Amino acid sequence: ASPTAIKFKLNTVAGQPWSLDDLKDKKAVVVLFIGTQCPINNAYMPKLVEMEKEYRDKGVQFVAINSNAHDSIDAIAKHAAKHGLTFPVLRDEKHQVATRFGAERHPTAIVLDAAHMIRYEGRIDDQFGIGFNRGHPTRRDLAIALDQVLAGKAVTTKTTPVEGCFI
């Protein structure tokens, strides 16, 4: 079976429809499964804002998805504002998109190429985790995968384990 392109359409926390199909000109898409309460997830928010700025002009679209049943639209919107998120935050109320991606923890990062095929799935890097908090990551997994996709290369490490709270 040939791999199929991922498709999904969800509403932003502001109630606007948002679809992967609308991103025709992007070289890569970073799909982030995030929550509002997980300390590891929240430790990564400033880093994701930095990365989005770094990759924005390289043709990369970042988008966050909240699939937590217990997070209200209001809580998600407040969390996005508090952390100054510079990319769309979508609501996956029925958990369908998380299930389709097989995302179990947040923060989980997924890199899609221009054809919306999954090229990487896993952690952002190895800086924060259960019981540890390094001053700097020793491996920037998401950045490495993104750079390889943008260079038209195969991603060397396609999956990494995610440390974080269950969705």
Side-chain angles (χ1 to χ4, degrees):
S2 66
T4 53
I6 293 284
K7 282 180 179 283
F8 66 83
K9 186 177 195 167
L10 291 169
N11 283 345
T12 66
V13 285
Q16 301 297 315
W18 193 97
S19 168
L20 257 187
D21 289 346
D22 297 337
L23 305 180
K24 298 292 182 219
D25 56 334
K26 299 295 180 189
K27 296 185 180 120
V29 181
V30 178
V31 179
L32 302 154
F33 285 91
I34 66 169
T36 63
Q37 296 165 350
C38 181
I40 296 169
N41 172 90
N42 290 341
Y44 276 110
M45 292 300 114
K47 181 167 291 196
L48 291 171
V49 170
E50 268 171 50
M51 281 190 79
E52 192 273 335
K53 286 190 178 81
E54 182 187 341
Y55 283 96
R56 185 187 298 165
D57 295 338
K58 297 178 183 177
V60 178
Q61 174 70 52
F62 278 60
V63 60
I65 298 178
N66 183 307
S67 299
N68 282 345
H70 61 264
D71 281 339
S72 68
I73 290 270
D74 193 42
I76 299 166
K78 281 189 175 125
H79 179 265
K82 176 183 162 187
H83 292 283
L85 300 186
T86 48
F87 38 86
V89 179
L90 314 181
R91 180 73 176 122
D92 180 18
E93 265 175 275
K94 300 193 176 93
H95 208 277
Q96 288 161 330
V97 179
T99 302
R100 200 173 320 155
F101 276 108
E104 293 175 351
R105 293 178 182 270
H106 43 74
T108 294
I110 294 163
V111 175
L112 305 178
D113 62 16
H116 299 162
M117 305 298 236
I118 295 178
R119 302 289 295 278
Y120 170 79
E121 192 162 356
R123 66 190 182 189
I124 294 157
D125 60 31
D126 64 358
Q127 185 172 359
F128 307 113
I130 314 255
F132 67 89
N133 179 347
R134 299 184 172 106
H136 296 283
T138 62
R139 195 183 147 81
R140 296 180 67 216
D141 303 276
L142 174 56
I144 292 166
L146 260 179
D147 290 342
Q148 289 171 332
V149 167
L150 292 175
K153 296 184 175 124
V155 174
T156 46
T157 304
K158 292 180 175 46
T159 55
T160 54
V162 176
E163 297 245 2
C165 308
F166 282 105
I167 292 175

